[in-house]
């Protein structure tokens, strides 16, 4: 009857690290996965493996920013509504058509937005500013203009947006809308991205039913595995569902070893608390497993454990959904960012905000509270999404940040300035 | 020579709508797509088609929140370090094991986190608070405790997190980590979600090269189609790349009709400005096309056009990347939200923030400026990502909001409170 065994030595004697120290230790073990090439159309959400240097200036030619007439500003210097100037229209330049005529004194070319400016022209008169546009019935097409225009108006010079050789995208950037546009402009039909980490997900706990099973006394359905899979996808990695750790240490170890072989990172949930029966503590105390940490001075998630086995990293998260969620965001998300070649923490990940509700508790440990951000009249508020119990999953639904509450002798009033971490 | 033709009637005579009016007109035409059922493991990022009512309370049984002993608080009422109390351990209750013994006076059951509370017990003493845990060598296993414990400590009552029949998830919610956990807990191996909208993407402009083609004079590579595809994915829809609109109106119309048949919504970029040659203006002036709007009192993106043809909606966006981006976020993103059964605007989509840089321009139109949000010491700042020219795509890269600047006779100073729209 395993429940009656005395606690194994070391179970109570864990050394608690501060969260940032544990993050540092874990992140140091991670390295970026190899690069792979994917078609641009499939690159959305991936991470750039290398910086992009502009292969040519953009725009690559001098172009018109408006529909109108490419002219010489000099010709219109004295033009007014009373003293209109008529120019001979020598050519029409829709987008994509290279000019064949250069613009001499008294001449103009009709030009469309994005059209290539002809030699000699130094400015564009907008169509709406011409008195009478040329018509095709005219023997000699002419445009009449009743105002002057400064040099360079409505003209985009070569390279005015991007200079040749400029670093336009940085390695580690996630590919979104703007990145896709720039990659396309620079001729990248294929893009070098980091391989998506394969993240194994194992659950422990003989109380767990599969989501498809009917309830039984003393049992609940496994919610941590689908929750972790969702977070892994959110991180830009691929979840690999490995099922449930058996209650027997050698069998558990075999399954974990198989998972480590197949995956780049292995996550488990449950079985890491003091006093648990669970096999994770046994598995992780094996001499060929290098323990990175097994206790963190924080709530929830204090038994969050990380180890290296067979050259791969395993993070054992708490089985309580709230603690599992916090452990993922504090430790797994930064580790995956490193595997994806990103900086461990997103820019602006931590921010100062006003506490949206009183925090009445005396607090012996650093605490991470699921919360929602609200922007009001130029100020930032963070309000806990509900009770802070580590077992709750309903408070995860609307959480977009974690409020960090340091150890405190007294509670905090509503409106206190606190640190929060964006999820 | 089409460039020399006089402007067709109506080209200049567009009636400009305010952006919110145009949004309203477009959104009214959209309706949610049908529901489809997908496995929970594939439901991440999808939108719930119907609200979820809890089929049973959660937790479904009274459970322990800690590793320790399930006891009767009464038995420990007078327990102190000097007057310890020993209780007979009648059973061991790991997770998943239903109790077979109820707890009478002087009795306790060993219980693990998540274990089902036995009848009779009304509180849990944490393992760390016991003086000597029971061992399996004891003839009669006994636990000794040197303190009193209030009733209900470390016990989660039936339904304390979710009551049976409570609405735990709302139709229209995007399925993330918390939603996945709750769906699993409630036994949803399959989930009813809205079908992903199929969004056709067509480009116009004879200056456009494919991303794989080498540069030619007067030509640039098509960057709007990959940018739109990325935004469509970000919205939770599927892009369908339809290529380029030919320069001939009947051929263009045939391609557009085919796109409308295949897709739920059709996007085009380019060819909607006054004075363009492009065929989009011709196609959209056909008598069987119902024009919803073709001019908006805003910059950039004023010629953004929406129409209904063959019972499907088409949004013709500007060809300038910056204007195309703004038009997508102001009109297409809300329309897709409706097709996904979401509210047209995300909660908290607009917010007040301090302007991070001077805005010097006199401004005749409502203006939407690509900007980045920064949270500093509890305040929110929004700073333009660069020059506001509609042709620029580099300013899209770091933009996470649009600053809305109303028509103004003078510029705005740094620190002015402005309205911004989250992307």
């Amino acid at each position: 009857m395993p429940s009656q065994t005395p606690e194994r030595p070391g179970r109570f004697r864990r050394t608690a690290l501060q969260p940032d120290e544990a993050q540092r230790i874990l992140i140091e073990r991670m390295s970026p996965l190899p690069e792979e090439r994917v078609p641009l159309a499939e690159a959305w959400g991936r991470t750039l493996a290398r910086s992009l240097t502009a292969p040519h200036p953009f725009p690559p030619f001098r172009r018109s920013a408006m529909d109108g007439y490419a002219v010489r500003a000099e010709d219109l210097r004295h033009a007014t509504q009373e003293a209109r100037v008529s120019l001979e229209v020598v050519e029409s330049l829709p987008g994509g058509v290279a000019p064949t005529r250069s613009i001499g004194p008294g001449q103009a070319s009709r030009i469309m937005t994005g059209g290539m400016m002809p030699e000699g022209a130094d400015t564009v008169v907008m169509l709406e500013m011409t008195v009478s546009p040329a018509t095709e019935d005219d023997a000699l097409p002419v445009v009449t203009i009743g105002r002057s225009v400064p040099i360079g108006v409505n003209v985009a010079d070569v390279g005015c947006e991007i200079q040749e050789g400029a670093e336009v995208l940085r390695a580690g950037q996630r590919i979104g809308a703007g990145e896709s546009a720039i990659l396309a402009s620079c001729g990248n039909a294929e893009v070098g991205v980091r391989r998506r980490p394969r993240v194994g997900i194992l659950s422990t706990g003989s109380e767990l039913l599969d989501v498809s099973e009917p309830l039984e006394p003393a049992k609940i359905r496994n919610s941590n595995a689908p929750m972790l899979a969702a977070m892994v996808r959110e991180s830009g990695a691929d979840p690999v569902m490995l099922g449930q750790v058996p209650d027997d240490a050698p069998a558990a170890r075999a399954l974990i070893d198989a998972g480590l072989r197949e995956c780049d990172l292995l996550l488990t949930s449950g079985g890491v608390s003091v006093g648990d029966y669970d096999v994770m503590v046994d598995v992780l105390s094996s001499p060929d497993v290098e323990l990175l940490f097994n206790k963190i001075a924080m709530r929830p998630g204090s038994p969050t454990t990380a180890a290296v086995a067979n050259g791969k990293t395993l993070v054992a998260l708490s089985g309580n959904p709230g603690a599992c969620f916090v452990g993922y965001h504090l430790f797994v998300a930064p580790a995956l960012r490193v595997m994806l070649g990103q900086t461990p923490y997103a820019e602006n990940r931590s921010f100062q905000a006003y506490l949206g509700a009183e925090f009445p508790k005396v607090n012996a440990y650093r605490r991470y509270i699921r919360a929602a951000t609200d922007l009001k009249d130029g100020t930032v508020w963070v309000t806990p999404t509900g009770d802070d119990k580590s077992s709750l999953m309903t408070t995860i639904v609307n959480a977009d940040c974690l409020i960090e509450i340091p150890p405190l002798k007294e509670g905090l009033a509503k409106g206190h300035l606190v640190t929060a971490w964006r999820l």
Side-chain angles (χ1 to χ4, degrees), chain A:
Chain A
M1 207 167 142
S3 67
Q4 305 294 329
T5 54
E7 295 310 313
R8 273 157 292 222
R11 282 209 158 195
F12 283 104
R13 273 183 257 120
R14 296 178 173 187
T15 306
L17 300 184
Q18 290 301 313
D20 57 350
E21 174 72 0
Q23 285 170 334
R24 194 186 56 70
I25 288 172
L26 180 60
I27 285 165
E28 274 180 1
R29 294 306 184 102
M30 315 312 294
S31 48
L33 293 179
E35 178 177 348
E36 63 185 18
R37 296 191 68 77
V38 297
L40 177 58
E42 290 162 29
W44 174 78
R46 305 294 298 264
T47 306
L48 269 182
R50 53 184 73 197
S51 298
L52 177 66
T53 299
H56 55 72
F58 194 88
F61 51 87
R62 202 164 58 114
R63 71 179 183 185
S64 175
M66 289 288 172
D67 294 317
Y69 290 85
V71 300
R72 298 153 43 98
E74 173 67 22
D75 285 348
L76 301 178
R77 188 137 64 110
H78 304 293
T80 63
Q81 282 302 322
E82 292 69 42
R84 296 172 179 179
V85 171
S86 290
L87 301 172
E88 176 199 4
V89 179
V90 297
E91 192 171 26
S92 180
L93 298 169
V97 171
T100 59
R101 301 280 301 268
S102 69
I103 302 302
Q107 295 182 323
S109 280
R110 177 92 163 90
I111 194 164
M112 299 291 131
T113 305
M116 183 170 177
M117 289 287 287
E119 292 293 318
D122 54 19
T123 196
V124 169
V125 184
M126 286 169 68
L127 189 64
E128 296 91 320
M129 299 201 171
T130 59
V131 177
S132 65
T135 78
E136 64 184 11
D137 300 331
D138 297 337
L140 181 69
V142 158
V143 60
T144 305
I145 299 162
R147 53 178 292 174
S148 65
V149 185
I151 286 181
V153 166
N154 301 324
V155 176
D157 280 328
V158 173
C160 71
E161 180 168 4
I162 302 173
Q163 292 191 305
E164 183 171 342
E167 187 186 273
V168 277
L169 297 173
R170 267 192 345 271
Q173 255 176 288
R174 183 183 166 283
I175 299 172
E179 291 81 1
S180 298
I182 289 175
L183 285 162
S185 286
C186 293
N188 296 270
E190 281 200 338
V191 189
V193 297
R194 293 282 163 201
R195 180 161 72 68
R196 284 185 193 277
R198 290 172 57 79
V199 182
I201 298 173
L202 264 171
S203 308
T204 78
S206 41
E207 76 281 18
L208 296 181
L209 298 167
D210 186 76
V211 59
S212 58
E213 291 182 278
L215 279 191
E216 288 174 33
K219 302 211 169 188
I220 56 170
R221 298 189 189 92
N222 180 0
S223 63
N224 280 339
M227 179 178 77
L228 286 169
M231 292 193 286
V232 164
R233 285 193 201 276
E234 207 81 57
S235 288
D238 288 331
V240 180
M241 307 311 273
L242 297 173
Q244 201 155 337
V245 177
D247 249 346
D248 162 71
R253 178 62 195 263
L255 185 65
I256 287 169
D257 284 346
L260 288 167
R261 270 193 301 278
E262 193 187 343
C263 299
D264 302 301
L265 178 69
L266 187 64
L267 306 181
T268 66
S269 68
V272 285
S273 300
V274 165
D276 274 339
Y277 286 23
D278 323 60
V279 294
M280 283 310 295
V281 176
D282 289 340
V283 168
L284 295 173
S285 59
S286 164
D288 64 338
V289 172
E290 181 193 359
L291 206 59
L292 300 180
F293 52 81
N294 66 358
K295 191 170 184 179
I296 299 168
M298 70 177 205
R299 294 287 184 279
S302 65
T304 304
T305 296
V308 176
N310 311 351
K312 299 270 182 75
T313 303
L314 178 157
V315 182
L317 297 158
S318 168
N320 269 326
C324 183
F325 179 80
V326 168
Y328 182 91
H329 284 293
L330 289 185
F331 304 105
V332 181
L336 287 175
R337 287 184 59 93
V338 175
M339 294 176 102
L340 283 163
Q342 303 168 354
T343 56
Y345 304 107
E347 242 179 286
N348 263 330
R349 194 185 182 214
S350 87
F351 59 98
Q352 299 287 106
Y354 297 103
L355 193 57
E358 184 197 14
F359 180 81
K361 295 188 204 174
V362 175
N363 192 27
Y365 297 90
R366 194 167 299 273
R367 198 172 275 275
Y368 293 90
I369 299 175
R370 288 146 270 166
T373 311
D374 196 19
L375 306 181
K376 271 187 283 201
D377 304 328
T379 58
V380 195
W381 293 79
V382 286
T383 307
T385 46
D387 189 307
D388 186 42
K389 283 201 191 105
S390 65
S391 62
L392 298 189
M393 62 195 160
T394 43
T395 52
I396 294 170
V397 170
N398 298 310
D400 62 10
C401 70
L402 294 173
I403 303 174
E404 182 180 315
I405 308 256
L408 291 172
K409 293 237 164 57
E410 302 183 344
L412 294 176
K414 181 176 168 174
H416 193 93
L417 204 59
V418 292
T419 297
W421 298 82
R422 205 187 298 274
L423 301 182

